[in-house]
Amino acid sequence: MTMLTNFDASTIQYISILGSIIFIVLMILLIRNRKIKEEFSILWLFFGIVFFVLSVWRGSLEVIARILGIAYAPAAIFLILIIAIISILIHLSVIISKITDQNKILIQEVGLLKMEFDILKGNCKISDPENFKAD
Amino acid sequence: MVKPRRILAIVPSYNEEKSIAHVIGSIKNSDPSIDILVVNDGSTDNTGSVAKSTGEAFIVNLPCNIGIGGAVQAGFKYAGRNGYDVAFQFDGDGQHLASEIKALLEPILKNDADVTIGSRFRAKTAGFQSTLLRRGGIKIFEILNSLLIKQKITDNTSGFRAYRREAIHFLADHYPSDYPEPEAVLLLGRNGFRLKEVSVCMQQRKEGKSSITGMKSGYYMIKVLLAVLVSALRTRIG
């Protein structure tokens, strides 16, 4: 019985504060150990701080909910969470696209260089050396 | 005397060990002055060594498979850097016919066009016409690209194409990846290159199988339609 009554409204607040702190510390450790580059961690850190602020200042959620016209204030937390996740995923898609493009260029250049190297070494029988004449 | 123009055949190939030697031989037979560049797109079979053993082609062995767009683009880079006046794409699967090369190159050599596209549909040719479903897809590209570049291109998926120097340099930097053909038509048309279709005959592939079957056809249509529509929103490049 005492266990149950101990779970009042502030318990979740402590958990949230602790969770946010652990999250932010984890991100900083990952950056420190060079597991994540700074530029890719900015969004994560930003939302970590947002959730820390929300858990310390509980009234803020009510304020946001009222401004946005959300009847049930805790639902606002899901909205913010979803925005956070979607923006990070879009950011990752942009990065992947850029890396794919760079990767393609590298593969093309490696292929072309290997061919020129082979021909210059004389490993290739092709009889048209016009492209590889010394300037 | 006018210096003869240097022509490069770009032959993208992925696991075509059975047809590649024949393809190289047929191009050389049609015109021995044409240089051939085989772009071996990370094949898992012996395409590279078979092509090399012919002794008649330059071989680029890409270390990984990057898809036809990237492979052909590697060819444009090579052609551009080595001062070729004309380059044409000729698939390694034996689908394109060497006997049609002359017709494909003619408008380019006469300076009537910057890009020529070998079309199976411009005049009803006897050869390979593809399946009904695919022709339906190709028709959609025809309508869409006609609206966007105000020129009727009947065979937007054809890879049998020839390019003048300016187009080679442009595509070396801007060729689309994945399924590049319909998007490239739009890109070239919107950037002021003169396109011209040439009626050609094609053959059903002898060996290997099409890279686009089943579920992939749906993905192909969606991806290419998206790419075409989005590039219509872009401003001109370069």
Side-chain angles (χ1 to χ4, degrees), chain A residues 100-101 103-116 118-119 123-132, chain B residues 6 35 37 52-53 55-64 66 69-71 73-74 77-78 81-82 84 175 177:
Chain A
T100 307
D101 218 40
N103 194 40
K104 182 189 78 177
I105 293 169
L106 276 179
I107 291 171
Q108 289 170 337
E109 294 298 338
V110 168
L112 289 168
L113 282 173
K114 271 201 312 189
M115 176 179 71
E116 295 191 15
D118 256 12
I119 292 172
N123 280 354
C124 201
K125 279 191 296 182
I126 190 106
S127 53
D128 178 15
E130 193 177 339
N131 296 344
F132 299 96
Chain B
R6 298 181 61 220
D35 285 350
L37 180 78
K52 192 174 177 179
S53 68
E56 292 187 305
F58 298 103
I59 322 290
V60 177
N61 288 305
L62 299 179
C64 319
I66 54 173
Q73 191 180 33
K77 287 183 176 171
Y78 179 81
R81 289 170 196 177
N82 292 290
Y84 283 93
Y175 201 59
S177 49

Side-chain angles (χ1 to χ4, degrees), chain B residues 21-213:
Chain B
H22 174 77
V23 166
I24 293 169
S26 70
I27 299 172
K28 275 287 173 193
N29 271 339
S30 77
D31 183 350
S33 72
I34 293 176
D35 285 350
I36 302 173
L37 180 78
V38 173
V39 185
N40 175 21
D41 188 12
S43 296
T44 49
D45 68 0
N46 295 316
T47 303
S49 47
V50 171
K52 192 174 177 179
S53 68
T54 64
E56 292 187 305
F58 298 103
I59 322 290
V60 177
N61 288 305
L62 299 179
C64 319
N65 180 267
I66 54 173
I68 178 115
V72 173
Q73 191 180 33
F76 291 136
K77 287 183 176 171
Y78 179 81
R81 289 170 196 177
N82 292 290
Y84 283 93
D85 302 297
V86 179
F88 67 94
Q89 182 186 336
F90 193 95
D91 286 352
D93 58 11
Q95 187 185 1
H96 301 154
L97 297 170
S99 53
E100 304 278 15
I101 292 173
K102 205 164 170 251
L104 185 75
L105 296 182
E106 201 187 305
I108 302 268
L109 296 172
K110 278 188 179 163
N111 199 7
D112 282 341
D114 300 311
V115 179
T116 53
I117 301 170
S119 168
R120 288 162 284 179
F121 311 118
R122 180 134 287 250
K124 186 94 181 160
T125 45
F128 180 53
Q129 293 278 319
S130 199
T131 60
L132 188 67
L133 193 67
R134 285 183 181 209
R135 286 208 301 277
I138 291 168
K139 195 77 193 167
I140 294 175
F141 293 136
E142 177 187 327
I143 295 165
L144 196 63
N145 270 349
S146 304
L147 286 173
L148 293 170
I149 61 169
K150 299 179 177 57
Q151 182 181 352
K152 186 173 162 174
I153 301 294
T154 59
D155 201 348
N156 280 286
T157 60
S158 164
F160 191 36
R161 297 177 177 186
Y163 306 89
R164 274 168 67 83
R165 183 193 283 268
E166 297 75 16
I168 294 171
H169 284 280
F170 176 76
L171 293 175
D173 292 332
H174 302 297
Y175 201 59
S177 49
D178 242 9
Y179 306 117
E181 290 86 4
E183 200 184 332
V185 170
L186 181 69
L187 194 63
L188 288 161
R190 282 169 63 89
N191 284 281
F193 291 98
R194 295 166 300 159
L195 308 176
K196 189 169 185 166
E197 272 197 312
V198 176
S199 183
V200 298
C201 200
M202 285 192 199
Q203 218 168 19
Q204 189 133 25
R205 56 168 59 240
K206 284 201 186 71
E207 304 289 346
K209 58 179 196 312
S210 169
S211 55
I212 305 163
T213 50

Side-chain angles (χ1 to χ4, degrees), chain A residues 11-131:
Chain A
T11 307
I12 185 64
Q13 184 177 11
Y14 297 136
I15 295 173
S16 318
I17 293 172
L18 190 65
S20 313
I21 291 173
I22 291 174
F23 180 79
I24 292 169
V25 170
L26 178 72
M27 289 314 296
I28 291 170
L29 283 179
L30 284 170
I31 300 168
R32 197 196 68 158
N33 299 339
R34 298 178 209 285
K35 301 280 183 199
I36 298 184
K37 286 193 170 293
E38 289 84 347
E39 57 262 45
F40 301 138
S41 64
I42 289 172
L43 270 176
W44 287 116
L45 272 178
F46 171 76
F47 284 108
I49 292 164
V50 167
F51 282 103
F52 179 72
V53 171
L54 286 176
S55 45
V56 171
W57 176 30
R58 288 176 59 182
S60 61
L61 206 57
E62 308 275 348
V63 174
I64 293 167
R66 208 174 317 127
I67 292 170
L68 296 177
I70 299 170
Y72 179 57
I77 199 100
F78 291 107
L79 181 69
I80 297 168
L81 196 60
I82 290 168
I83 291 171
I85 292 171
I86 289 180
S87 40
I88 287 166
L89 286 179
I90 292 174
H91 184 222
L92 288 178
S93 295
V94 170
I95 293 166
I96 291 171
S97 302
K98 189 175 144 200
I99 292 175
T100 307
D101 218 40
Q102 292 172 336
N103 194 40
K104 182 189 78 177
I105 293 169
L106 276 179
I107 291 171
Q108 289 170 337
E109 294 298 338
V110 168
L112 289 168
L113 282 173
K114 271 201 312 189
M115 176 179 71
E116 295 191 15
F117 182 66
D118 256 12
I119 292 172
L120 289 174
K121 269 203 317 189
N123 280 354
C124 201
K125 279 191 296 182
I126 190 106
S127 53
D128 178 15
E130 193 177 339
N131 296 344

